[in-house]
Amino acid sequence: MGYLKYLVFRILNAILVLLIVTFIIAALFVKVAEQSNLAKMNDEMMQWDRTTGQNILRTQGQDAYEKAKAEHEQFLREKYELNLPYWHKVYNKAVRTLKLDFGTTTTPIFGTNNVSDIIKVAVPRSILLFTTATIIVIILGIFLGVRAARHAGSVFDRGLSIFALLTYSLPMWWTGMMFLLIFAFKLGWFPLSSMFDPQLTGWAHVKDVLYKLTLPVLTYVFVAFGGWAWTTRNIMIGTLQEDFIMAARAKGVPEHKIIYGHALRAAAPPIVTMIIFALLGSLGGAIISELVFNYPGMGRLYWVALQQNETNLLIGLTYFFTVLYLAGVVIADMIYGFLDPRVKVGASAKM
């Protein structure tokens, strides 16, 4: 029952944070949207005046023209909610955002104006690149980190530490540019752009995707796996010095069982946290890296929204990233409570 209370408390806390953040997002972007909507209304009024307005003026006279103009202006004000008070608009926008009704964009992106559909197109592409690369990084990092911890002070351990410090300090976008220069431009092994060919189908499409994603994935893995290995190594070294590990070795427990059955499980909470946030963070893409490789994922989509001043799309993306972060916190708390009984006991004692 203690774990259930702990879990409910964490979920309610995340929902409360989401509500607060959503209203803050709405308050910020509604102010920006007011100016954009006012400009849109003025453009539509000018277009109406050049077509419909002039026809009314010629056929029905000045009074009918002024009346029709006022009615059309009122219609546009209601359409863009310019007739509502600021906080009323904030409330409406926040409620629509919570219902996942993000509205539409002014120009089509990925062949549609619906913000939800646009995000649905971009998310699988980010999963295909960044989540795949993140899984490879996690597997390599944990495996090499555990091996380095088992042989602390060895040549392998020192070499891995130096490599990790060097590669993890490199900006991914700069490394991507260097890899493109060497492997794509100079050697010609990979294409300069990672944009898929939409005309290909079947096995040809699969080969095209694998070929164009190889270099971005290699870049991500090269930069990130050393940091994962180094962090895992440090966590495991601290765990391997604990008394229960010494006791297990004194009892003659096999080394592989000590490492993977005792030490790695004891070191699991921080590693699990890293895994959760890395996997969920991979859904958000990377703005600069996607621009370098010309890849149409979530990061590039955010950049396009900023460039084109697509307020509704910015709200939708910001809300999506907020939900990802809060989901990561809840999942990490759930797993912490399962792996470490002290967490749920402490939470239950306070409630």
Side-chain angles (χ1 to χ4, degrees), residues 36 41 70 74 124 126-127 145-146 149 154 165 191 195 244 260 262 301 306 309 326 328 332 341 348:
S36 177
M41 189 195 78
Q74 181 62 27
S126 291
I127 292 174
V146 170
S154 64
L165 290 174
M195 193 79 71
F244 71 93
Y260 297 102
H262 295 76
L301 180 61
L306 288 171
N309 195 26
L326 292 175
S348 301

Side-chain angles (χ1 to χ4, degrees), residues 96-259:
R96 287 198 298 267
T97 301
L98 290 170
K99 293 179 179 179
L100 304 182
D101 179 14
F102 304 119
T104 58
T105 58
T106 54
T107 56
I109 300 175
F110 301 146
T112 180
N113 291 87
N114 186 279
V115 172
S116 297
D117 293 338
I118 293 171
I119 295 176
K120 289 176 184 177
V121 172
V123 169
R125 293 175 177 175
S126 291
I127 292 174
L128 188 62
L129 173 56
F130 290 102
T131 305
T132 302
T134 300
I135 292 172
I136 296 173
V137 166
I138 291 171
I139 294 172
L140 278 176
I142 293 178
F143 174 76
L144 295 176
V146 170
R147 183 178 178 183
R150 291 179 64 180
H151 306 284
S154 64
V155 175
F156 176 78
D157 177 37
R158 294 176 182 177
L160 181 65
S161 299
I162 294 172
F163 179 81
L165 290 174
L166 289 175
T167 57
Y168 205 65
S169 62
L170 296 175
M172 190 169 297
W173 58 268
W174 181 86
T175 307
M177 292 175 67
M178 293 300 102
F179 275 29
L180 282 172
L181 179 64
I182 296 170
F183 298 109
F185 184 74
K186 292 290 185 181
L187 299 177
W189 293 353
F190 301 102
L192 290 169
S193 174
S194 298
M195 193 79 71
F196 307 143
D197 187 350
Q199 296 180 350
L200 296 177
T201 57
W203 180 242
H205 175 69
V206 174
K207 290 194 294 184
D208 181 64
V209 170
L210 292 176
Y211 175 59
K212 291 183 176 178
L213 288 186
T214 300
L215 190 58
V217 169
L218 287 176
T219 303
Y220 187 94
V221 172
F222 176 79
V223 172
F225 90 91
W228 267 82
W230 189 72
T231 303
T232 304
R233 174 249 185 208
N234 290 341
I235 294 172
M236 285 293 294
I237 283 180
T239 305
L240 289 172
Q241 295 173 354
E242 295 288 342
D243 293 339
F244 71 93
I245 298 295
M246 303 298 181
R249 282 174 173 161
K251 291 179 181 178
V253 178
E255 187 67 16
H256 72 276
K257 189 173 182 180
I258 292 175
I259 296 297

Side-chain angles (χ1 to χ4, degrees), residues 43-62 64-73 76:
D43 289 340
E44 291 192 31
M45 282 299 300
M46 291 174 61
Q47 185 178 1
W48 179 89
D49 189 65
R50 287 194 299 265
T51 56
T52 307
Q54 293 300 316
N55 290 333
I56 294 175
L57 183 62
R58 285 194 302 267
T59 57
Q60 302 180 30
Q62 184 69 29
Y65 166 77
E66 294 294 340
K67 181 180 178 181
K69 182 178 180 180
E71 290 177 353
H72 189 66
E73 182 176 353
L76 292 177

Side-chain angles (χ1 to χ4, degrees), residues 270-283:
I271 295 175
V272 166
T273 302
M274 292 167 53
I275 292 173
I276 292 169
F277 282 103
L279 290 175
L280 291 177
S282 67
L283 302 182

